């Protein structure tokens, strides 16, 4: 799932990297993807990336009896990894590499776009029940972003036991524990489950970090600035230079972090690159069904690329 619009591509202003620890809580933006309301924690106007993480859509939980055909038809990507993580429900991933892979809570689907890939996320036929999770993108560095597409699925991920909680390492490294998932830059993506007490999460001080709460509420350092816990629908940016994070309150959240990304990224629609020209070329290539994006077999409708806003003229 995906799709970044013009608002998301506005230049970042006042982005803070290179500083020390902070607790900066900002609201996610409501969007709609595949018939579902999502809370877009990344990108934000003032914060485009956290490490290499460049997109975070928290979706659901949908009502347990929902009959919406959640899902999104074939669409392309370049220059990023998609990371799909569910708290509840199930989705089926299909892509132009021929992959067909259900993903369930506790498992990771990780697709590498490189120079081009396409995929669809489909609901499971006959499945009725809540869907709840997060769709993430990781920007690929210059060294790999022009490379081949790939797909990985991991059903068994390492868990770091913490006092008062546990962390499942989806991508990268936490507390010296490595995920088997591909990561092209030094980073971490981990699901944190915390109880009502206090939990200390060991961090790499070379990383900047952020927290997206999926369920429950959490206080950072026991004293989030406003005195209020961080709730779903927020991005809690934590800055650089922390060797641990103190959390309190029962919650499920995603910890995102990494070495500040090597360069600014340009994001538009489903593409991550370094220039508008790359976006325009990718959109044209998708719309003429160029081989770089392959063919994704899906019962859902193929999604055409819109016209880039810089090309539409805006004459009136
Ligand atoms: Mn996608």
């Amino acid at each position: 799932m995906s799709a970044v619009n013009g608002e998301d591509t506005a230049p970042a202003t006042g982005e803070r990297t290179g500083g020390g620890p902070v607790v900066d809580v900002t609201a996610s933006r409501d969007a709609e993807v595949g018939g579902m309301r999502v809370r877009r924690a990344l990108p934000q106007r003032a914060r485009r990336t956290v490490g290499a993480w460049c997109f975070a859509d928290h979706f659901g939980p949908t009502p347990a009896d929902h009959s919406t055909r959640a899902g999104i038809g074939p669409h392309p990507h370049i220059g990023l990894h998609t990371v799909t993580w569910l708290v509840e429900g199930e989705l089926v991933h299909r892509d132009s590499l021929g992959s067909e892979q259900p993903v369930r809570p506790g498992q990771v689907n990780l697709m590498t776009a490189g120079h081009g890939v396409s995929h669809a996320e489909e609901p499971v036929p006959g499945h009725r029940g809540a869907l709840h999770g997060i769709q993430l993108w990781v920007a690929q560095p210059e060294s790999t972003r022009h490379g081949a597409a790939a797909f990985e699925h991991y059903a068994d991920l390492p868990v770091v036991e913490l006092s008062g909680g546990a962390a499942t390492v989806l991508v990268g490294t936490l507390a010296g524990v490595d995920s088997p998932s591909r990561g092209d830059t030094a980073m971490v993506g981990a699901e944190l489950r915390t109880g009502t007490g206090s939990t200390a999460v060991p961090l790499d001080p070379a990383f900047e970090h952020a927290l997206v709460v999926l369920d429950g509420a959490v206080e950072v350092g026991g004293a989030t600035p406003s005195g209020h816990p961080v709730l779903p629908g927020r991005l809690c940016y934590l800055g650089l230079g922390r060797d641990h994070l103190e959390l309190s309150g029962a919650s499920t959240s995603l910890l995102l972090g990494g070495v500040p990304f090597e360069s600014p990224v340009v994001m538009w629609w489903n593409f991550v690159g370094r220039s508008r020209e790359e976006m325009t070329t990718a959109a044209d290539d998708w719309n003429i069904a160029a081989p770089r994006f392959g063919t994704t077999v899906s019962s859902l409708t193929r999604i055409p690329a819109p016209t880039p806003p810089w090309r539409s003229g805006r004459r009136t």
Side-chain angles (χ1 to χ4, degrees):
M1 299 192 204
S2 49
V4 178
N5 68 16
E7 267 183 76
D8 296 317
T9 63
T13 51
E15 191 152 353
R16 277 184 289 167
T17 51
V22 296
V23 179
D24 185 8
V25 181
T26 50
S28 302
R29 204 164 57 71
D30 285 341
E32 195 183 302
V33 177
M36 275 194 306
R37 181 175 157 265
V38 303
R39 307 169 180 94
R40 184 158 297 159
L42 274 179
Q44 297 198 355
R45 277 183 188 280
R47 185 156 305 288
R48 308 295 301 283
T49 52
V50 175
W53 299 98
C54 62
F55 182 92
D57 262 6
H58 175 201
F59 53 89
T62 60
D65 63 348
H66 86 111
S67 54
T68 310
R69 261 190 84 77
I72 186 160
H75 60 279
H77 288 291
I78 64 169
L80 59 90
H81 310 279
T82 62
V83 177
T84 307
W85 181 258
L86 298 181
V87 177
E88 207 175 348
E90 185 173 348
L91 285 169
V92 178
H93 164 97
R94 294 177 196 275
D95 65 36
S96 52
L97 303 164
S99 316
E100 178 183 343
Q101 179 62 59
V103 62
R104 302 182 182 94
Q107 307 176 345
V108 153
N109 272 1
L110 190 153
M111 184 179 71
T112 298
H115 181 61
V117 75
S118 62
H119 75 140
E121 298 287 350
E122 300 184 350
V124 177
H127 175 82
R128 290 175 69 86
L131 187 64
H132 185 198
I134 188 163
Q135 177 65 58
L136 303 155
W137 295 355
V138 179
Q140 287 184 255
E142 192 61 30
S143 57
T144 69
R145 72 185 188 97
H146 304 288
F151 176 77
E152 307 165 29
H153 171 83
Y154 297 100
D156 192 18
L157 294 163
V159 175
V160 178
E161 296 297 334
L162 307 167
S163 62
T168 304
V169 190
L170 282 56
V171 185
T173 305
L174 183 76
V177 174
D178 294 324
S179 164
S181 309
R182 173 170 169 178
D184 291 359
T185 58
M187 62 186 301
V188 63
E191 185 196 71
L192 306 180
R193 290 190 181 242
T194 58
T196 51
S198 182
T199 303
V201 185
L203 301 180
D204 185 334
F207 290 2
E208 57 178 342
H209 291 92
L211 203 61
V212 179
V213 177
L214 303 179
D215 188 45
V218 73
E219 286 197 37
V220 176
T224 304
S226 55
H228 298 295
V230 182
L231 301 169
R234 304 281 183 274
L235 178 75
C236 179
Y237 181 71
L238 298 161
L240 280 156
R242 291 176 184 272
D243 61 10
H244 75 286
L245 183 64
E246 283 283 334
L247 299 176
S248 57
S251 66
T252 302
S253 61
L254 248 287
L255 174 72
L256 306 176
V259 170
F261 199 63
E262 63 187 19
S263 65
V265 296
V266 174
M267 292 178 64
W268 175 73
W269 198 45
N270 292 303
F271 305 135
V272 173
R274 305 293 183 272
S275 71
R276 285 181 168 182
E277 290 68 28
E278 289 175 58
M279 309 285 106
T280 304
T281 301
D284 288 346
D285 286 349
W286 173 246
N287 286 341
I288 63 166
R292 71 188 282 193
F293 294 116
T295 302
T296 296
V297 177
S298 171
S299 59
L300 302 178
T301 306
R302 190 180 193 274
I303 301 170
T307 302
W310 54 86
R311 196 197 237 183
S312 61
R314 291 184 172 174
R315 292 188 190 87
T316 53

